[in-house]
């Protein structure tokens, strides 16, 4: 029973971080139909910039975190403007490939600044063991879940209430119509990329707080795929639920079965979902007409 | 100058006038929206049958059912070529193999290929070389290839597109693309040719050419033609029989003369207004749906 | 078009190289390949052999992705199947190198066809994601099925020897591998002037129209996956025999990405483009390494950042090509040819 609770909490933590990464991914897809293979690198950059702010420049963590978010937003805008904007109207393969090229470039930049060795992260969230229903877990994991929930809450309020959020939903629904209503689609794309980078940066900071910073954090970029396919590529609630489900699945298979099965099971789930329900649990089904 | 056709264009075995295709009580809906309600009709060998009706009447849906892109929920579509085939259970490529060719409303050519390659792709079902001999381009594969190159030239000749043989299709004008698309369908040596708005968006001269090609194919080669067209002038001129659809139902069927005088048809097109309107030549009437 | 050249028979009209200039360029290229090994040192021979293997893989991927329009991120995984099949058959069962290579091609073709099944329901990016999953699953099996593959440990393959000649020294392997490249090229070129290849292009241009023209989408999509994987398997098997060793690191998702980059930078849907892209992406890191060596005298720290420079260049090259010349090197090559054909009367 202890093991079960421990695995559940681990799964929820990972799920929360996956959800944050997936959220940005889904947002970009919703707004601009682009699959972002560099989402893992956004997370990586978030982790390293937070690391630099707190450990290298010695800033207080709220300030450091705020600066990290600003940098992430700037990164999102720059990437959209320089790399993605010229690709509007190009075939899918080009768009996929340009984000792959971007991921390679970003990873190289991170490695050339901070090197390839994993580093310990100055724990800005305490990791004291606490007792939850008889199982012992690090406090930081609980905080990660809480922070992720808060972030997701902020995003959902943003989408429902703010001007930009509503405009973004309009663009996702129908670009032409949104354009004719005077919404600047380009601005919305930039918003989507900035928010994606920011939410990934928070995810990166959280995961770095638990396991330290290192280039392998970019691996989250691939782990996002099962999450978004399960939840539906264009569904924000889907990204959250998909993240939690995949996080738990990884934790349980890792804990009860082992053999590294937790690394591959999400991808098997991905193929099964694609075969029976390609639009995922919550995604919109698109009927193709001739 | 027209050369004699070296190869047969029509692959049908029926006699003119025999029933070739029978649509029986076909119903098709998408979710709650009914596209076709209890439609029945018959296509006879070597006739030109026009299907007309206002936008959204279900004309294209009917063609899509015949060529296997849609599967109707009720009803049968039976095709005769000596044997009987139930088309609603077959896949599009199997239906193509039976000799039913078609063109599309919004031109669905292979844009990155040349005109010639589009025609050769149309002859796909007839080319039988196996993979290995194709990879080696050896013996039978080469002979077959050259035989069909010659056949493609016959179609190029027929449609008067000699000048654009080697042009990439994507770069051609709309009118020429429509012509090439018909050529690709002809390369299948069809028994029935389904044409979905072959003249939409053309000027008067191009329409006249296209009408001539359709008549050539029908009269000289005996190919049955099922035609969706909005230009009533052309429809009345070239078709043997006309079927009228409205809101997914067949509301009339008959010769051009009968259709011209059918009050239901006039109402469907115009509501209560003037009578002659849809049957005059009117360049603005071909808005596609 | 090429004006002033008229063909009088269908045979000539359908020949692959229709103008004297095309024929001359081909002859020059073949002559270069024939004399190259007699002048090149070992380093250049190794590079040439790597390029040749990459060309085979790139043609394979281009058949699937460039011509048939089925985006695949699974090339690395398929190459792994070929390499491990060949390696295991030769190392554990003593099969001669050429025998295990042939078997590996067919095994990989079968695996590719299985992972191609989702392509029947999925298009575009959904298929790309499915093949990404295939890549991850194959590599997981390779690293975890210890009894068969040796897991993460390297699989050592004995030297390939035929008639007492060691095949995998750089000079001998050059002839073997470029001979195979020649055969693969001829087969690929023929494929795309016969119904099979035309059906592939038709599927990528307009799959619905293709099916209405009588192309069985099920059959041809799986066939495209099988043919493409066959060549991926061939490239993998040749790597195994050439290197004497098979390790999983050589077949990660990065390799799938590398091959996609090759065909995009070379030119999608072009055999010539596959050559150019394979050569470009194989030689690029080598050129950078040499540049690094050159500046090492006055900038000794270059060694530690060279890998990052290579990675950054890789990313940058992809982005720049897509933004500036999406049709790749093949298009640039075409523009150069057009310029000189009309020169000096370019207008």
């Amino acid at each position: 029973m202890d093991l079960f609770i421990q695995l559940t909490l681990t799964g929820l933590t990972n799920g929360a971080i996956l959800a944050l990464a997936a959220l940005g991914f889904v947002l970009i897809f919703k707004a601009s139909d682009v699959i972002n293979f560099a989402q893992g690198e956004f997370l990586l950059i978030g982790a390293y910039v937070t690391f630099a702010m707190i450990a290298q420049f010695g800033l207080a963590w709220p300030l450091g975190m705020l600066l990290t978010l600003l940098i992430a937003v700037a990164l999102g805008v720059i990437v959209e403007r320089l790399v993605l904007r010229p690709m509007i109207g190009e075939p899918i393969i080009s768009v996929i490939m340009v984000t792959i090229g971007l991921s390679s470039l970003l990873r190289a930049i991170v490695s050339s600044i901070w090197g390839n060795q994993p580093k310990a992260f100055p724990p800005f969230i305490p990791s004291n063991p606490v007792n939850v229903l008889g199982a012992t877990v690090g406090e930081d994991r609980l905080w990660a879940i809480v922070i992720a929930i808060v972030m997701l809450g902020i995003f959902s309020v943003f989408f429902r209430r703010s001007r930009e959020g509503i405009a973004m939903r309009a663009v996702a629904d129908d670009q032409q119509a949104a354009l004719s209503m005077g919404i600047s689609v380009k601005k919305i794309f930039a918003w989507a990329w900035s928010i994606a980078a920011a939410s990934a940066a928070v995810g990166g900071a959280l995961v770095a707080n638990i396991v330290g910073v290192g280039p392998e954090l970019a691996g989250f970029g691939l782990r996002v795929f099962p999450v978004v396919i399960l939840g539906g590529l264009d569904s924000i609630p889907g990204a959250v639920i998909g993240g939690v489900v995949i996080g738990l699945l990884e934790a349980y298979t890792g804990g009860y079965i082992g053999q590294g099965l937790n690394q591959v099971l999400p991808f098997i789930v991905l193929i099964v979902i694609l075969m029976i329900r390609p639009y995922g649990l919550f995604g919109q089904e698109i009927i193709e007409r001739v | 100058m027209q050369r004699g056709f070296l190869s047969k264009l029509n692959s049908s075995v029926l006699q003119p006038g025999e029933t070739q295709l029978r649509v029986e009580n076909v119903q098709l809906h998408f979710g709650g929206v009914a596209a076709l309600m209890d439609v029945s009709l018959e296509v006879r060998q070597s006739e030109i049958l026009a299907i007309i009706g206002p936008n959204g009447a279900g004309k294209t849906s009917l063609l899509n059912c015949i060529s296997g892109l849609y599967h109707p929920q009720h009803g049968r579509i039976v095709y005769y070529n000596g044997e009987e085939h139930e088309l609603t259970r077959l896949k599009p490529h199997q239906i193509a193999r039976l000799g039913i060719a078609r063109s599309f409303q919004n031109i669905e050519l292979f844009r990155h290929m040349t005109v010639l390659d589009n025609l050769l792709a149309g002859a796909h079902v007839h080319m039988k070389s196996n993979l290995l001999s194709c990879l080696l381009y050896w013996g039978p594969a080469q002979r077959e290839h050259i035989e069909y190159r010659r056949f493609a030239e016959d179609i190029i000749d027929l449609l008067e597109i000699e000048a654009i043989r080697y042009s990439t299709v994507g770069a051609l004008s709309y009118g020429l693309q429509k012509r090439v698309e018909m050529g690709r369908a002809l390369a299948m040596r069809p028994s029935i040719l389904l044409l979905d708005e072959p003249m939409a968006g053309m000027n008067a001269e191009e329409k006249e050419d296209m009408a001539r090609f359709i008549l050539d194919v029908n009269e000289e080669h005996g190919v049955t033609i099922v035609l969706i067209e909005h230009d009533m002038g052309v429809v009345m001129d070239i078709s043997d029989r006309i079927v009228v659809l409205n809101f997914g139902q067949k509301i009339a069927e008959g010769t051009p003369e009968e259709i011209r005088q059918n009050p239901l048809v006039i109402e469907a097109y115009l509501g209560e207004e003037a009578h002659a309107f849809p049957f005059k030549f009117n360049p603005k009437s071909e808005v596609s749906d | 078009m090429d004006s002033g050249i008229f063909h009088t028979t269908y045979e000539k009209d359908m020949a692959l190289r229709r103008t004297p200039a095309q024929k001359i360029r081909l002859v020059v290229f073949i002559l270069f390949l024939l004399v190259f090994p007699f002048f090149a040192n070992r380093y250049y021979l190794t590079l040439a052999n790597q390029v040749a293997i990459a060309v085979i893989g790139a043609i394979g991927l281009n058949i699937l992705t460039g011509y048939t329009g089925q985006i695949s991120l699974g090339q690395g995984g398929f190459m792994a199947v070929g390499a491990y099949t060949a390696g295991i058959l030769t190392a554990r069962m003593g099969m001669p190198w050429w025998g295990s290579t042939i078997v590996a091609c067919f095994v990989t073709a079968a695996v590719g066809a299985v992972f191609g099944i989702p392509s029947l329901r999925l298009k575009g990016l959904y298929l790309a994601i499915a093949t990404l999953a295939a890549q991850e699953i194959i590599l997981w099996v390779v690293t975890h099925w210890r009894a068969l593959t040796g897991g993460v440990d390297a699989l050592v393959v004995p030297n390939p020897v035929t008639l007492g000649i060691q095949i995998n020294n750089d000079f001998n392997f050059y002839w073997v591998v470029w001979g195979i490249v020649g055969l693969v090229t001829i087969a690929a070129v023929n494929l795309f002037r016969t119904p099979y290849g035309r059906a592939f292009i038709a599927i990528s241009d307009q799959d619905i129209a293709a099916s209405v023209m009588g192309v069985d989408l099920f059959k041809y999509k799986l066939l495209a996956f099988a043919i493409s994987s066959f060549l991926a398997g061939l490239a993998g098997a040749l790597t195994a025999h050439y290197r004497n060793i098979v390790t999983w690191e050589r077949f990660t998702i990065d390799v799938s990405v590398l091959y996609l980059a090759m065909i995009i930078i070379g030119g999608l849907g072009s055999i010539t483009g596959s050559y150019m892209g394979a050569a470009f992406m194989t030689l690029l890191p080598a050129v950078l390494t040499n540049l690094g060596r050159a500046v090492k005298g006055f900038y000794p720290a270059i060694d530690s950042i060279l890998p990052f420079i290579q990675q950054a260049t890789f990313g940058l090259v992809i982005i720049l090509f897509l933004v500036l010349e999406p049709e790749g090197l093949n298009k640039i090559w075409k523009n150069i040819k057009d310029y000189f054909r009309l020169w000096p009367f370019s207008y």
Side-chain angles (χ1 to χ4, degrees), chain C residues 304-318:
Chain C
S304 58
I305 58 162
L306 191 64
F308 309 141
I309 293 181
Q310 284 175 333
Q311 193 177 23
T313 315
F314 176 74
L316 209 57
V317 160
I318 293 173

Side-chain angles (χ1 to χ4, degrees), chain A residues 45-232:
Chain A
I45 288 176
Y48 268 108
V49 173
T50 316
F51 169 79
M53 294 293 169
I54 298 173
Q56 293 177 311
F57 302 147
L59 299 177
W61 75 263
L63 185 61
M65 205 57 232
L66 187 68
L67 286 175
T68 305
L69 281 179
L70 288 178
I71 290 174
V73 167
L75 177 73
V77 173
I78 294 170
V79 161
E80 195 279 329
R81 183 67 196 87
L82 292 185
V83 181
L84 271 301
R85 187 87 52 93
M87 302 310 294
I88 291 176
E90 294 289 327
I92 293 170
I93 183 170
S94 307
V95 181
I96 288 180
M97 205 59 206
V98 89
T99 66
I100 290 178
L102 181 67
S103 76
S104 180
L105 182 61
L106 292 179
R107 219 178 314 153
I109 293 173
V110 168
S111 309
S112 62
I113 299 176
W114 287 286
N116 255 342
Q117 295 307 313
K119 291 183 166 63
F121 200 76
F124 65 90
I125 304 169
S127 59
N128 310 325
V130 285
N131 195 313
V132 181
L133 302 171
T136 317
V137 285
E139 200 182 330
D140 50 354
R141 289 191 175 267
L142 298 180
W143 276 108
I145 297 172
V146 172
I147 293 174
I149 291 172
V150 170
M151 288 297 292
L152 295 171
I154 293 173
F155 282 128
S156 72
V157 170
F158 172 81
F159 285 120
R160 278 171 211 291
R161 298 271 178 262
S162 79
R163 245 178 89 83
E164 285 74 17
I166 293 167
M168 204 174 271
R169 279 160 58 203
V171 171
D173 210 42
D174 188 337
Q175 274 185 27
Q176 294 293 329
L179 208 56
S180 69
M181 297 303 291
I183 294 170
S184 161
V185 172
K186 286 176 183 170
K187 211 155 108 190
I188 294 305
F189 286 180
W191 268 98
W193 278 87
S194 323
I195 296 177
S199 73
V202 175
L206 291 178
V207 70
N209 191 69
I210 297 168
V211 300
V213 278
E216 69 285 346
L217 288 185
F220 268 90
L222 288 184
R223 287 168 64 193
V224 158
F225 283 97
V227 174
V228 293
I229 289 296
L230 179 64

Side-chain angles (χ1 to χ4, degrees), chain B residues 267-285:
Chain B
E267 193 184 331
Y269 266 82
L270 293 173
E272 305 295 320
E273 286 180 54
H275 283 223
F277 176 72
F279 310 123
K280 271 197 306 204
F281 174 71
N282 182 343
K284 281 186 198 142
S285 66

Side-chain angles (χ1 to χ4, degrees), chain B:
Chain B
M1 187 193 78
Q2 187 126 21
R3 294 181 320 172
F5 247 64
L6 297 172
S7 3
K8 210 170 144 232
L9 190 57
N10 181 354
S11 59
S12 180
V13 294
L14 302 180
Q15 293 303 310
E18 284 186 79
T19 300
Q20 200 174 10
L21 185 79
R22 184 174 279 137
V23 176
E24 292 171 2
N25 309 97
V26 163
Q27 289 186 25
L28 174 76
H29 31 89
F30 301 105
V33 186
L36 293 171
M37 288 179 281
D38 210 27
V39 171
S40 301
L41 57 85
E42 203 179 270
V43 180
R44 299 173 198 147
Q45 176 68 51
S46 301
E47 72 172 345
I48 297 183
L49 174 74
I51 301 176
I52 64 168
N55 291 335
K59 305 180 296 286
T60 298
S61 293
L62 181 61
L63 286 205
N64 285 347
C65 287
I66 296 174
S67 49
L69 296 174
Y70 292 166
H71 296 280
Q73 281 83 4
H74 296 285
R76 308 197 313 152
I77 300 175
V78 189
Y79 171 72
Y80 303 91
N81 62 349
E83 301 160 54
E84 210 181 285
H85 300 274
E86 227 289 62
L87 299 187
T88 52
R89 288 199 210 100
L90 299 181
K91 292 194 163 150
H93 69 91
Q94 294 168 319
I95 293 173
R97 280 178 189 279
L98 293 174
I100 301 184
R102 72 172 287 179
S103 74
F104 293 85
Q105 192 177 342
N106 305 313
I107 307 184
E108 309 277 1
L109 282 166
F110 307 127
R111 299 178 58 82
H112 294 95
M113 295 189 204
T114 62
V115 169
L116 188 57
D117 275 329
N118 265 279
L119 297 180
L120 289 171
H124 181 86
V125 293
H126 299 291
M127 299 169 99
K128 306 251 177 335
S129 311
N130 65 40
L131 181 60
L132 192 63
S133 67
C134 283
L135 291 174
L136 300 172
Y137 199 61
W138 202 269
Q142 190 176 8
R143 274 197 300 280
E144 181 179 58
H145 199 207
I146 286 165
E147 177 195 330
Y148 277 93
R149 172 68 183 82
R150 191 170 287 146
F151 172 61
E153 199 60 29
D154 291 342
I155 292 171
I156 289 173
D157 219 32
L158 175 81
L159 298 177
E160 298 166 15
I161 46 178
E162 293 88 346
I164 54 164
R165 266 190 210 105
Y166 299 116
S167 309
T168 306
V169 158
L172 297 176
S173 76
Y174 187 80
L176 281 176
Q177 289 195 9
K178 283 261 172 198
R179 217 186 272 190
V180 174
E181 202 186 14
M182 177 161 155
R184 185 182 65 181
L186 285 175
M188 229 165 95
R189 291 183 173 152
S191 312
I192 300 185
L193 180 58
L194 313 173
L195 297 173
D196 196 346
E197 300 195 21
M199 295 166 209
M202 289 185 171
N203 64 30
E205 196 184 340
E206 288 172 323
K207 278 185 186 176
E208 208 168 289
D209 282 342
M210 188 53 100
R212 186 160 50 83
F213 297 138
I214 293 174
L215 287 173
D216 272 356
V217 169
N218 176 255
E219 285 168 9
E220 287 182 26
H221 300 278
V223 176
T224 313
I225 289 180
V226 177
L227 171 81
I228 295 179
E229 186 49 56
H230 280 290
D231 186 321
M232 291 306 148
V234 174
V235 167
M236 294 293 156
D237 271 357
I238 68 172
S239 33
D240 298 311
R241 290 191 310 126
I242 297 174
V243 166
V244 189
L245 295 183
N246 193 21
F247 292 116
Q249 283 174 312
K250 185 171 89 174
I251 58 170
E253 180 174 1
T255 62
E257 201 46 45
E258 289 160 9
I259 294 298
R260 205 189 293 272
Q261 282 149 13
N262 188 317
L264 275 173
V265 178
I266 296 168
E267 193 184 331
Y269 266 82
L270 293 173
E272 305 295 320
E273 286 180 54
H275 283 223
F277 176 72
F279 310 123
K280 271 197 306 204
F281 174 71
N282 182 343
K284 281 186 198 142
S285 66
E286 68 268 7
V287 188
S288 59
D289 42 339

Side-chain angles (χ1 to χ4, degrees), chain A residues 11 14-15 18 219-231 242-254 257-275, chain C residues 129-130 132-137 140:
Chain A
N14 287 343
L18 280 172
F220 268 90
L222 288 184
R223 287 168 64 193
V224 158
F225 283 97
V227 174
V228 293
I229 289 296
L230 179 64
V244 171
V245 172
I246 296 290
L248 288 174
L249 189 69
E250 285 181 357
Y252 293 145
T253 43
I257 305 173
Q259 315 288 336
L261 198 66
N262 53 326
Q263 296 155 22
V264 76
L265 200 59
F267 288 100
I268 294 171
V269 170
L270 185 161
I271 290 207
V272 171
I273 294 283
L274 278 179
M275 289 304 281
Chain C
I129 295 172
L132 171 79
Q135 160 79 39
E136 293 296 309
I137 292 170
W140 187 86

